[in-house]
Every structure is written in C-alpha cells, then in structure tokens.
Amino acid sequence: MYREERLLAPAKVNLCLRVVGRRTDGYHLLDSLMVPISLYDELTVKVGSAARGADPEQSIRVSSDSGNAPGGPTNLAYRAAAMFLTRVKRAVSVDIDLRKRIPVGSGLGGGSSDGAAVLLALNRLLGGPLATAELGELGAQIGADVTFFVHGCPARVQGVGERITPLSLPRRLSLVICWDGYSLSTQLVYSRVNVSLTRPAGVSNILEFVSGHGLSPELLVNDLEEAAAQIHPEVLSLKARLMKEGAVGALMTGSGAAVFGVWRDLESARNAAIRLRQLGLWAEPVETLAMSPVVGC
C-alpha cells in the first residue's frame, strides 16, 4: 500500500552573494543571504513495499514533464532518494512525479529544491529516522544549495553551502523574476571569478536590512555577476530593464542568468511582469517566504 506526499518546492534568490575565498580543492567559499520565494516545482512522492535486500536504486522511479530536467538517475530528486534509502537501509519503492515550473539553468535553485523536498518527504513518510542536521549533511553531498532548502527559511549561507544560519527578514519582499532563456554554466561562471578582486566583507551590508534598516539598491551585491556578464552581457541589460520598469533595485541571482527586481508592493510587481512578458521575456511576480511549504508540511 502506497503512502504519498504532494509538495511545493520553492525557488530561491540570493539577496547578496559574496565570494570570500577558495579552498585548496578549487571550490569557492561563499557568504550569501538566500531567501525562498513563491515560485514552485510540484512533486508527488510515493513510497511502497520493495523486496527485502533489493538495491535501493532499482526501487526508485522519477518522471518529469520537462525535457530540460528529465527523470532517471541524472535528476537530483533521484539522487536524493537513492542517498536517503542507502543511509536509512529501508526496503521500499519510491515513485516521484515532478512538474517543473522553476526554469532549469536559471540560477533559481530548482533542482536543489527538488532534491531537498524528496529528502524531507521520505523522512516524514518513513517515520523520521533522520534529524534535520543529518538531512542537511546528505543534501551537501547532492548539491550546493540542497542544505539551504532542507532548512527552508531565509538564511546566511557560508562555506560551500553547508553552513546555514537561519535569519528572519523584517518584511516580505515583492519581486519580479526575469529570465531570457539563456542557461549559464555554473562551472564556467566560477572559472571567470577573480577571487583576489572580490571583497572579503561577507554579507555584513545585507545584514543591515535584516536588522530592519531597510533595503536600498547598494545592498544588493553579487560577486558572480561581473563574471556572468562576460559570458552573457544580456544579464546587465535585463537588470537595466527591471529598473526602467520601476524596480527599486535589481540583481542577478546565484550564478545566473535569471535576475530579479525589488518592487514596493506586489501589485506593482504584477503589472511590471505583464509588461516584461509583452517584450517576450519570462517574468514572474513573487514574494519572499518566511518558510518553505515543504518544511512546513
């Protein structure tokens, strides 16, 4: 007999992203303020019986409605299920149906969010064998942003994504996410970053906003933006377009190429998104979330 959960896995934006160093293995060290937003992939996770002693990966099926994020072993949702079952040593079958609404390759963290959603759902469906910290450790082995999505709240994210400090924003932000369909290679963007030119100040500037001092455009900083713009200059054009449409500030999120603008209220953001769509751009009005619905299930 199957047990199942239906989930909304949110996207994220980086209100601030600083590159503060590089490890000896080549991975960059980050200091970022990440926030979940009201743009979601939809997942259904089902568990049932499987033959005792069966290979966990042979008991997992992932289907997807997107050719850009196909089902099967390459999907982060599949990897999350395989790692979870191996860790808890449970003989179950897992069926995951994925409906993609977060653009793939946009820097909005959709794949990582899907992986975190699977970890959280399986943990609940199987009686909670792992604590949140243990799920976060598994997430770090799957993808850089998975640990953040396991916690599911606004947070200061440090290291290579494994150090999470939950924060409370003083107010909900109204945003428009805009993307021109170009998928930037994360690896290529990081290869263009000159660590010696980035400022090691961390996110101290954006913490002014967290402390309730208000969000001003100069607080929005992403050290990956210049590198991304070398590859895809339209990133800067999209930012300028958002400002022209009335944003009080704009920034690329993650390693791009999606950008977001901050509006004073959601109605203004909705109207701006309509105008951007008329220009042939993908645009969605969203709000920041105090907690991911996946965590709050």
Side-chain angles (χ1 to χ4, degrees):
M1 183 174 179
Y2 276 103
R3 289 164 289 164
E4 71 174 58
E5 278 197 8
R6 297 181 183 274
L7 308 157
L8 294 176
K12 60 82 182 172
V13 294
N14 301 77
L15 292 181
C16 182
L17 193 162
R18 308 307 308 267
V19 179
V20 297
R22 181 185 294 169
R23 299 195 316 195
T24 56
D25 60 7
Y27 282 95
H28 287 77
L29 298 171
L30 306 180
D31 195 352
S32 180
L33 176 58
M34 293 174 58
V35 184
I37 58 174
S38 59
L39 172 66
Y40 308 99
D41 284 345
E42 302 172 11
L43 295 90
T44 301
V45 180
K46 299 180 181 179
V47 297
S49 300
R52 186 173 297 277
D55 183 343
E57 294 194 22
Q58 294 179 357
S59 304
I60 301 168
R61 183 190 67 86
V62 177
S63 61
S64 170
D65 68 349
S66 171
N68 293 322
T74 60
N75 195 292
L76 287 185
Y78 185 103
R79 291 179 57 194
M83 292 190 69
F84 184 88
L85 294 183
T86 299
R87 175 70 175 269
V88 301
K89 297 180 173 60
R90 296 288 293 273
V92 297
S93 64
V94 177
D95 287 294
I96 301 167
D97 180 65
L98 175 59
R99 298 187 179 186
K100 291 295 295 181
R101 300 295 178 265
I102 303 169
V104 177
S106 59
L108 293 166
S112 294
S113 187
D114 297 341
V118 169
L119 291 176
L120 289 161
L122 290 178
N123 199 50
R124 286 191 291 264
L125 290 168
L126 296 178
L130 299 182
T132 300
E134 294 174 294
L135 292 173
E137 290 171 5
L138 280 182
Q141 300 175 51
I142 299 167
D145 295 335
V146 179
T147 302
F148 162 75
F149 283 112
V150 165
H151 289 267
C153 62
R156 186 176 188 174
V157 180
Q158 296 172 279
V160 293
E162 82 286 3
R163 294 167 53 196
I164 309 295
T165 305
L167 300 170
S168 178
L169 300 187
R171 64 182 179 89
R172 181 176 294 180
L173 297 178
S174 298
L175 312 175
V176 174
I177 311 299
C178 188
W179 185 53
D180 63 2
Y182 190 91
S183 295
L184 276 167
S185 163
T186 299
Q187 183 176 2
L188 181 58
V189 171
Y190 274 103
S191 73
R192 299 288 184 94
V193 174
N194 187 336
V195 177
S196 65
L197 297 180
T198 60
R199 292 172 292 173
V203 299
S204 58
N205 54 350
I206 204 71
L207 292 179
E208 295 177 28
F209 167 64
V210 175
S211 301
H213 295 298
L215 183 65
S216 58
E218 61 268 18
L219 296 182
L220 299 171
V221 178
N222 184 340
D223 284 341
L224 300 180
E225 193 173 79
E226 181 179 349
Q230 293 173 16
I231 305 163
H232 187 57
E234 288 78 1
V235 165
L236 301 182
S237 300
L238 285 178
K239 283 184 59 181
R241 170 56 62 177
L242 291 176
M243 297 298 292
K244 185 175 181 179
E245 294 294 341
V248 298
L251 190 69
M252 184 184 80
T253 184
S255 58
V259 302
F260 67 90
V262 183
W263 263 258
R264 299 190 185 280
D265 57 75
L266 186 57
E267 185 62 26
S268 299
R270 287 171 175 157
N271 291 334
I274 291 172
R275 295 192 296 271
L276 290 162
R277 290 169 185 162
Q278 291 171 345
L279 297 173
L281 296 166
W282 183 93
E284 285 290 332
V286 301
E287 293 183 296
T288 55
L289 301 174
M291 184 59 68
S292 163
V294 172
V295 176
C297 286

